[in-house]
Amino acid sequence: MKMDKKNQKMENSEFHKFFIDELKDIYWAEQHLLEALPKLQKASTSKQLAMAFEKHAKETQKQIKKVEQVFEILGEKAEPKKCEAMEGLLKEADSIIEDTDKDTFTRDAGLILAAQKAEHYEIATYGTLRIFARHMGHEEVEKLLEEILQNEKGTDAYLTKIAEDSVNERAMKE
Ligand SMILES: [Fe+2]
Ligand SMILES: [Fe+2]
């Protein structure tokens, strides 16, 4: 009984509402990143980078499912709310494509920069939301957000590896 009362109180709290709002924000961000990834893949010069974008599109689909699971666990409707930050980051990716020449490694270096900015935004978001979930006692939600966080960190590290292994050096020779 005591527990129910506590949960009920928490669900009506400002903090809980804020948490849900931020989940809606990242839900929007993921959906729009997913839409943008094929464009980044197509614009890539390096096959390795194109494949990395393709892989992350598949992962992003899984992440979206996980965010939907989070809404379900919390008894909330999965609803996207426009994320101005991701919108801006995706616009920046577009201008990088416009500002660089096709089939160049300079473009790839730019695409990696744009993608890493988006990944870092996601890392910051999931990193914080996972701690919110922990403090609110939503263990299952915390686990799901942690899984997404690790996946984003892996993507970020892989992009760094591609830049260091080949792209930056080839871009410098152009
Ligand atoms: Fe993501
Ligand atoms: Fe991501």
Side-chain angles (χ1 to χ4, degrees):
M1 274 312 264
K2 212 178 170 190
M3 189 67 186
D4 286 344
K5 234 180 177 178
K6 190 187 159 209
N7 279 346
Q8 206 181 352
K9 200 180 155 210
M10 192 142 59
E11 273 166 36
N12 292 320
S13 75
E14 280 305 308
F15 191 42
H16 179 83
K17 283 181 206 155
F18 176 70
F19 180 52
I20 300 299
D21 251 29
E22 291 306 306
L23 284 167
K24 289 178 178 175
D25 177 286
I26 196 69
Y27 188 46
W28 190 100
E30 292 287 12
Q31 288 174 338
H32 286 77
L33 183 60
L34 179 62
E35 274 174 27
L37 281 165
K39 193 167 51 184
L40 304 188
Q41 182 191 338
K42 231 181 122 209
S44 301
T45 304
S46 132
K47 211 173 164 198
Q48 195 187 7
L49 183 59
M51 277 165 69
F53 287 134
E54 193 184 2
K55 180 170 175 264
H56 200 49
K58 285 191 189 118
E59 290 168 339
T60 300
Q61 279 175 339
K62 285 186 195 151
Q63 294 174 356
I64 289 171
K65 289 261 169 341
K66 282 185 184 174
V67 176
E68 285 166 352
Q69 251 179 286
V70 166
F71 281 114
E72 206 183 310
I73 293 166
L74 296 169
E76 300 280 347
K77 211 172 142 210
E79 244 172 12
K81 188 180 154 224
K82 191 177 175 187
C83 170
E84 307 280 350
M86 185 55 79
E87 188 183 45
L89 290 167
L90 295 177
K91 272 188 193 160
E92 198 177 303
D94 280 341
S95 28
I96 285 175
I97 296 173
E98 273 170 41
D99 294 347
T100 53
D101 291 328
K102 200 175 177 286
D103 300 327
T104 64
F105 286 92
T106 301
R107 172 175 284 183
D108 277 9
L111 290 173
I112 291 173
L113 174 68
Q116 285 192 302
K117 285 186 186 185
E119 292 310 305
H120 280 239
Y121 176 77
E122 293 182 306
I123 289 167
T125 305
Y126 288 113
T128 301
L129 293 183
R130 143 200 84 149
I131 303 295
F132 284 179
R134 180 185 304 166
H135 286 165
M136 286 189 274
H138 297 305
E139 274 176 46
E140 226 182 316
V141 170
E142 182 194 348
K143 197 180 145 268
L144 285 164
L145 297 176
E146 177 68 35
E147 283 170 13
I148 304 175
L149 176 66
Q150 291 316 320
N151 186 235
E152 309 290 22
K153 283 186 178 174
T155 303
D156 179 53
Y158 187 52
L159 289 169
T160 298
K161 189 180 162 11
I162 297 173
E164 286 184 337
D165 282 359
S166 61
V167 166
N168 288 355
E169 218 167 84
R170 294 169 88 166
M172 277 192 290
K173 287 178 190 150
E174 285 173 347

